[in-house]
Amino acid sequence: MIQKFEKVNKIKGELRLPGDKSISHRSVMFASMAEGKSLIKNCSNSADVNSTIECFKKLGALIEKKGELLIVNGAGSRNFKEPPSELYAGNSGTTARLITGILAAQNFKTVITGDESLSKRPMKRIIEPLSRMGAAIEASDTGTLPITIYPSDNLHAIEYELKVPSAQVKSAVILAALHLEQTTVIYEPVPTRNHTEIMLGLETELYKNGKKIYASAINYPEPFEMTVPSDISTAAFFIALTLLVPGSELVIKNVSLNETRTGILAVLKMMGANILIENEASENGEKTGDIRILSSDLVNTEISEEIIPNIIDEIPILSVAGVFAEGNFRINHAKELRYKESDRIAALCSNYKKLGLDVEEFEDGFEVGGNIKNNHVLFESYGDHRIAMAFAVMSMALERGGSVNEFESVAVSNPDFLKQLNEIVA
């Protein structure tokens, strides 16, 4: 569908957003693995997390939703059941990649499929380390879904250095390692999201400029209760909108402030954003807090290579803020954007060209600047939820508004985006 957005004059109020998507995926997985009942509050209602829930239901976990509460009766170690059909991961790379690590240790064959977008995304990055562990996995000729996982009697611990800075690859190896008595050691040269380590209580230590992570059966999950904090990646769209609309102020309550996720706040503050953290707390080892945002005049700044893994999902909305900031917005060292739900580098550049902006595209990023020449543009989402929401924010900051094609794609991460907007548009 085409969704039209008018220029917004003011943002004001408070928001409580659904649970963090990364933490929600893992809470469902770990609860399904644990033997017994777990209770999860404020689990994400996104299509991606629902894909994870449906996969684990097929594997024999008993999962029931009661309002904001998710009740999970898990199967226990190596005790999942052979699913009656293929496991469909939808659009969720987290579902497909992480669940492969768990299935590598089961005693039955499983096939994982996904939608058209997910079926184009690379899976060799998890097959390589899991195969080194002795897992029996096949993918398509191009290294994509469908993936077939066979039972293996040869699963063993390894020492492995991550070749791609990816929390999904790291987590897949960890989840396979939880089924082994021997300890697997993972070397992570570049920091990535550490929710898996935190939630499982894994031992870690620094080495050189990176981190060593230790995982074995002693870390296998047990039943738990938790409240999932709000998703900072979802919050980022409302943060940017508030910054761009003069005279605005917004508080987003109980947001995940994990240090591997707050790069978006750090970059925006370097650009001059007036962002305050209030009521800091901790939930199951995860830092949380309220974020207060006030509209600000922004100035583009150099974005370092080191912070890219920390902001990779927020680059689309960060670039929107950059278009309205002083100077040109430039991003490099972000080739991973080409392997997301869409080729996000190409998608962003194409949409910015529609505005008449000066755009230069690189293999690993892009630069955008100049003046907006075209008004009320129809932006393409390319079926990508983050592109759709980024250009919704762009449209609301334009003098004559704008429209976004295939806006229904936002359901992948935040199906209530429009409802939340209505709560804060003054």
Side-chain angles (χ1 to χ4, degrees), residues 156-212:
H156 57 272
I158 60 170
E159 292 197 11
Y160 183 75
E161 181 169 332
L162 291 170
K163 297 175 180 176
V164 178
S166 166
Q168 293 178 359
V169 175
K170 173 177 63 176
S171 296
V173 175
I174 289 170
L175 292 177
L178 297 180
H179 298 83
L180 303 168
E181 296 301 322
Q182 306 89 350
T183 299
T184 288
V185 183
I186 300 166
Y187 297 84
E188 184 181 47
V190 179
T192 64
R193 297 181 184 186
N194 61 1
H195 302 299
T196 300
E197 298 97 294
I198 289 174
M199 295 175 71
L200 293 173
L202 300 187
E203 179 187 350
T204 64
E205 66 174 334
L206 297 177
Y207 86 101
K208 297 180 182 176
N209 295 322
K211 183 173 72 172
K212 266 186 185 180

Side-chain angles (χ1 to χ4, degrees), residues 88-302:
Y88 180 67
N91 190 246
S92 176
T94 302
T95 305
R97 291 181 178 131
L98 269 63
I99 205 171
T100 300
I102 299 168
L103 294 172
Q106 307 303 315
N107 62 359
F108 50 79
K109 172 185 170 183
T110 322
V111 178
I112 303 173
T113 63
D115 68 9
E116 182 180 0
S117 170
L118 182 60
S119 297
K120 296 175 182 175
R121 296 173 68 182
M123 296 293 159
K124 286 181 181 178
R125 56 182 58 183
I126 59 162
I127 294 173
E128 188 265 331
L130 290 174
S131 296
R132 282 188 53 184
M133 295 181 79
I137 306 174
E138 290 179 355
S140 72
D141 292 341
T142 55
T144 57
L145 295 180
I147 285 178
T148 304
I149 305 111
Y150 300 92
S152 172
D153 296 326
N154 189 36
L155 204 66
H156 57 272
I158 60 170
E159 292 197 11
Y160 183 75
E161 181 169 332
L162 291 170
K163 297 175 180 176
V164 178
S166 166
Q168 293 178 359
V169 175
K170 173 177 63 176
S171 296
V173 175
I174 289 170
L175 292 177
L178 297 180
H179 298 83
L180 303 168
E181 296 301 322
Q182 306 89 350
T183 299
T184 288
V185 183
I186 300 166
Y187 297 84
E188 184 181 47
V190 179
T192 64
R193 297 181 184 186
N194 61 1
H195 302 299
T196 300
E197 298 97 294
I198 289 174
M199 295 175 71
L200 293 173
L202 300 187
E203 179 187 350
T204 64
E205 66 174 334
L206 297 177
Y207 86 101
K208 297 180 182 176
N209 295 322
K211 183 173 72 172
K212 266 186 185 180
I213 304 160
Y214 301 88
S216 70
I218 64 171
N219 307 114
Y220 196 87
E222 297 180 352
F224 59 89
E225 295 184 19
M226 76 174 298
T227 300
V228 181
S230 294
D231 193 322
I232 194 165
S233 294
T234 298
F237 298 98
F238 300 102
I239 292 170
L241 181 60
T242 305
L243 291 172
L244 296 177
V245 177
S248 295
E249 182 174 356
L250 177 68
V251 176
I252 307 177
K253 304 292 285 186
N254 194 40
V255 181
S256 170
L257 296 176
N258 181 296
E259 67 274 8
T260 64
R261 302 288 300 283
T262 53
I264 179 67
L265 301 182
V267 173
L268 286 171
K269 284 182 178 180
M270 286 190 292
M271 294 171 67
N274 191 346
I275 297 174
L276 305 171
I277 304 299
E278 303 171 341
N279 302 320
E280 293 184 67
S282 179
E283 174 73 34
N284 290 67
E286 292 280 358
K287 295 178 183 178
T288 64
D290 300 340
I291 303 176
R292 183 178 297 274
I293 312 103
L294 294 92
S295 54
S296 307
D297 294 326
L298 303 178
V299 179
N300 280 308
T301 185
E302 183 178 350

